[in-house]
Amino acid sequence: MSEKHNEKKRKRQTGGDERPSKKPPTEVPAQTVKVSVLKDTNAELGPVIVTAPGLKLPPNTSFTPYTRARANKSSRLPPAGNPTMSSSELLLHSSKHPKLDYIAREEDSGAADSLLRHYVGVYEPGTGKLQIVQARKLIVRGNLRSDRSAATADGVEQQQGPEPTTLSARSVLGQTFGTKKSQKAIRALTENAITSSPLKSSQDPSQRPKLGAAASAVIESMAQSSASMPSREDLQAAVDEGKPRPKPNLEAQTPAEVYTVEGLVELEILKQLVVREWQDKVNKNEDVKTTSRFVSERLVKTVKTEDVKRLKALRYLLLLMDWSTCLRAGARNSKKLPGRDDVKKAVGSEVGDGILESVMRRFTMDGTLNKWYTDNLMTHICALVLTIDNYEVDIYDLREDLKLDVKTITRYFHELGCRVTPLTEAERSRLNLTKAEAAAAHRIARLKLPLEFPKNRIMASGKRR
C-alpha cells in the first residue's frame, strides 16, 4: 500500500503517430498590409451601414433605394472620398410587412457624431491588400401604414400631421432606451394595432369602404335571419297576451267598451244565474244577507235600477268571492278545490252544477290553482267590480272581502289598465272619512283612456342578473 502511495502519477504516454489532443498554434508569417481607398465619383449608392434601434427586422426584408439632392449641404462635413455622398441623400423603403413600413434614412442630430465618416473595408489575407470605401450610415424606423410618411416623386417628404401624443412619445423612448422585454411589448402593440379608416364615419354611401365577399355574405345571412325575429313591440304584445287577466278591448272608444259583462261572464252562465230571490226581498224591503261587504253595499241600489244584467254580474261576483274563500292550501304555494259538498256549502245550494263546472274549467287546472290561475281569478273579480261601479271604484270594500293588502290589490287594478290614486278632499268629505282613514286603506281605481298597462322588462336571452 505504501509503495502505491509513494508512486508519482505519470502522464499518459502517446505514440508519435497519434493525433495530439490540442491543436498546435499556427504561425502566420508577418507581412505588410497595403491599404487603398476606392474613389468612385459616379457611385451614387455604394455600401451602407444600417442600424435599427428598438426594432427586430425580419431576415428576409428587402428595401427599395431612393435618392435625391441634399437640401442643406453646409450642415454636414463633405466626405473626402466620394463627393456624391455630400450632394445626394439616400433613403431605403420596405413595405413587405403586413402592417408596418420600414424607412431607413440618414439622420442629422446636430451632435458630434454627425461629423463622423464611416468606411467599409475588404481584406485579402493572401495578397495583404485592404481596400476601403466610404459608406453611408442609415437608421431604420418603423411606422404604421396609417401614420407613415408620404413618398413623393422626387423623394420622401414628411406630411404635416398631428402633434405626437404622450403614448407615442413613450413608445419612442421605450424603443430607444427600454429593456428587451419592454421593446418586445411595444413591438407587439404596434403589430396588433388596428388601423382606423378615414371613411369610417362618412355619411356618403359611395365613399364608404366596400366589403369583401365573405363579409357581404355574413351580413346578408344576418339580415335574412333577423327579418323573421319579433320586434320589441311584438314581444311586449306576446307578454301581454299571456298575462293572467281578462282580455281588454284595445280598440275601445269609451271605458265601458274595454271590459264588458258579456266578455267577463259566459252568455250561458248569465242565463243560468238566478236573481229572482234578491229582487223579491228588496221589493218587500226585507234584508238580504251576503258574505260580501261590497255586494251588500250595492245590492239594493242595483235592484232599484232594474238593470238585470248588472244584477247578474253582482251575483256572479259574489259566486267567485265565495268560491275563492273555500279553496285549500296546496303544494308549492298553490291552492286546490275541496270536495263538491264543501264547494256547494260555500257558494249556495241554488247555484247549479253547470255553473260550478264552468268556473272550475276557467280558473283551475285539474282543480289546482297556481299563482297564474290565482291572479287570473283576482283580476276577473276586479274587472267585474269596475263594470258594476261604472269603472270608478273605491277598493276598500273589495280589499276587505278578499283579505288583501293595499299593494296587492292595487297591482291587480294596474294590470287592468286602471289608475289608482288617493282620495281627493271632496271624496273624503263625501265618504265622511278622516285623513288618516283615507290615507291608510282607501284608494280610487279609475279606468280611463288611453289605457296604461305596466311594462314588463324584456331581457335578452343569456343575460341574467
Side-chain angles (χ1 to χ4, degrees):
M1 296 292 292
S2 61
E3 293 180 358
K4 292 182 179 180
H5 283 288
N6 292 332
E7 286 184 0
K8 294 182 179 180
K9 294 183 179 180
R10 298 178 181 179
K11 293 183 179 181
R12 180 182 176 184
Q13 298 294 331
T14 58
D17 296 337
E18 295 181 4
R19 184 177 180 181
S21 60
K22 294 184 179 180
K23 183 178 180 181
T26 57
E27 295 182 359
V28 179
Q31 59 181 353
T32 304
V33 178
K34 299 179 181 180
V35 181
S36 60
V37 180
L38 298 180
K39 298 180 180 179
D40 188 0
T41 57
N42 296 326
E44 293 185 356
L45 299 179
V48 294
I49 301 173
V50 179
T51 60
L55 294 176
K56 185 177 181 181
L57 296 177
N60 57 348
T61 304
S62 60
F63 290 87
T64 303
Y66 299 92
T67 59
R68 72 170 184 177
R70 194 177 297 279
N72 190 2
K73 299 181 181 180
S74 61
S75 63
R76 295 179 56 86
L77 184 66
N82 193 345
T84 306
M85 294 186 182
S86 62
S87 60
S88 63
E89 186 177 357
L90 176 65
L91 181 140
L92 303 179
H93 176 259
S94 174
S95 59
K96 300 297 183 181
H97 196 276
K99 293 183 179 294
L100 298 176
D101 276 354
Y102 296 116
I103 299 177
R105 68 173 68 194
E106 301 175 68
E107 294 185 0
D108 187 2
S109 60
D113 294 344
S114 61
L115 302 178
L116 296 178
R117 301 188 187 97
H118 301 273
Y119 291 87
V120 175
V122 178
Y123 175 66
E124 297 180 6
T127 60
K129 294 182 179 180
L130 175 63
Q131 295 180 342
I132 61 175
V133 63
Q134 188 175 358
R136 302 176 188 264
K137 183 182 179 181
L138 306 181
I139 299 178
V140 180
R141 304 291 184 187
N143 300 321
L144 284 173
R145 290 225 168 81
S146 59
D147 301 329
R148 69 178 186 269
S149 302
T152 56
D154 57 343
V156 176
E157 295 184 0
Q158 187 73 20
Q159 286 187 342
Q160 188 70 22
E163 294 294 329
T165 61
T166 305
L167 181 60
S168 62
R170 290 180 63 183
S171 300
V172 173
L173 288 175
Q175 291 176 355
T176 307
F177 304 103
T179 61
K180 291 183 178 180
K181 185 176 181 181
S182 63
Q183 292 176 0
K184 183 178 179 182
I186 293 173
R187 289 195 299 269
L189 289 175
T190 305
E191 291 178 358
N192 294 331
I194 301 176
T195 57
S196 58
S197 174
L199 303 178
K200 178 180 175 182
S201 59
S202 177
Q203 299 295 331
D204 189 1
S206 61
Q207 295 181 358
R208 294 176 183 173
K210 295 183 178 180
L211 298 176
S216 301
V218 170
I219 293 178
E220 184 178 356
S221 63
M222 290 174 60
Q224 294 175 356
S225 301
S226 60
S228 59
M229 293 178 61
S231 62
R232 181 171 292 272
E233 290 76 12
D234 296 336
L235 292 175
Q236 185 64 45
V239 171
D240 293 341
E241 187 71 21
K243 283 188 174 182
R245 67 186 180 194
K247 188 175 181 180
N249 179 17
L250 301 179
E251 305 296 331
Q253 301 296 324
T254 61
E257 298 176 358
V258 179
Y259 301 107
T260 60
V261 176
E262 293 81 359
L264 298 172
V265 186
E266 299 176 7
L267 184 59
E268 292 297 327
I269 302 301
L270 278 176
K271 293 179 180 180
Q272 296 179 31
L273 288 172
V274 179
V275 293
R276 174 61 63 182
E277 183 180 357
W278 282 1
Q279 291 174 327
D280 294 341
K281 287 186 177 181
V282 171
N283 292 332
K284 295 177 181 179
N285 295 325
E286 296 179 3
D287 293 337
V288 179
K289 295 182 179 180
T290 65
T291 57
S292 169
R293 179 173 179 173
F294 181 89
V295 175
S296 298
E297 289 288 339
R298 291 155 179 80
L299 178 58
V300 176
K301 182 180 178 181
T302 306
V303 173
K304 295 294 184 182
T305 58
E306 297 183 356
D307 190 345
V308 178
K309 184 172 66 175
R310 180 172 295 184
L311 185 60
K312 288 191 174 185
L314 195 64
R315 182 65 186 90
Y316 190 74
L317 174 64
L318 180 62
L319 167 64
L320 294 182
M321 288 182 178
D322 292 339
W323 186 80
S324 65
T325 57
C326 72
L327 297 175
R328 301 289 185 263
R332 298 181 181 179
N333 297 327
S334 64
K335 297 180 181 180
K336 62 180 181 179
L337 278 175
R340 181 175 294 273
D341 295 338
D342 293 335
V343 175
K344 275 283 189 178
K345 183 178 179 181
V347 301
S349 58
E350 71 277 5
V351 179
D353 293 340
I355 298 177
L356 293 179
E357 288 292 335
S358 173
V359 173
M360 187 182 69
R361 288 195 307 268
R362 190 170 189 180
F363 298 107
T364 69
M365 181 175 60
D366 298 331
T368 304
L369 286 80
N370 56 16
K371 188 178 184 305
W372 191 93
Y373 283 98
T374 302
D375 292 343
N376 188 40
L377 173 63
M378 294 302 166
T379 52
H380 275 76
I381 290 176
C382 294
L384 280 171
V385 167
L386 289 174
T387 60
I388 294 169
D389 272 13
N390 293 322
Y391 305 94
E392 183 174 334
V393 58
D394 183 1
I395 66 176
Y396 177 77
D397 292 339
L398 183 62
R399 188 182 68 83
E400 290 294 323
D401 290 338
L402 299 176
K403 297 179 176 60
L404 300 174
D405 55 16
V406 177
K407 181 179 179 180
T408 303
I409 196 169
T410 299
R411 178 171 61 86
Y412 288 142
F413 278 102
H414 280 158
E415 289 292 339
L416 296 175
C418 295
R419 299 164 187 167
V420 182
T421 58
L423 271 66
T424 62
E425 190 66 24
E427 291 169 343
R428 185 182 65 81
S429 300
R430 178 171 54 85
L431 296 175
N432 196 19
L433 298 173
T434 63
K435 290 185 178 180
E437 292 174 343
H442 290 267
R443 300 288 188 277
I444 299 296
R446 295 181 178 88
L447 188 66
K448 291 185 176 181
L449 297 179
L451 301 177
E452 294 182 359
F453 295 104
K455 297 294 183 181
N456 283 12
R457 185 178 180 183
I458 302 174
M459 300 185 67
S461 60
K463 296 182 179 179
R464 295 185 180 180
R465 296 197 174 193

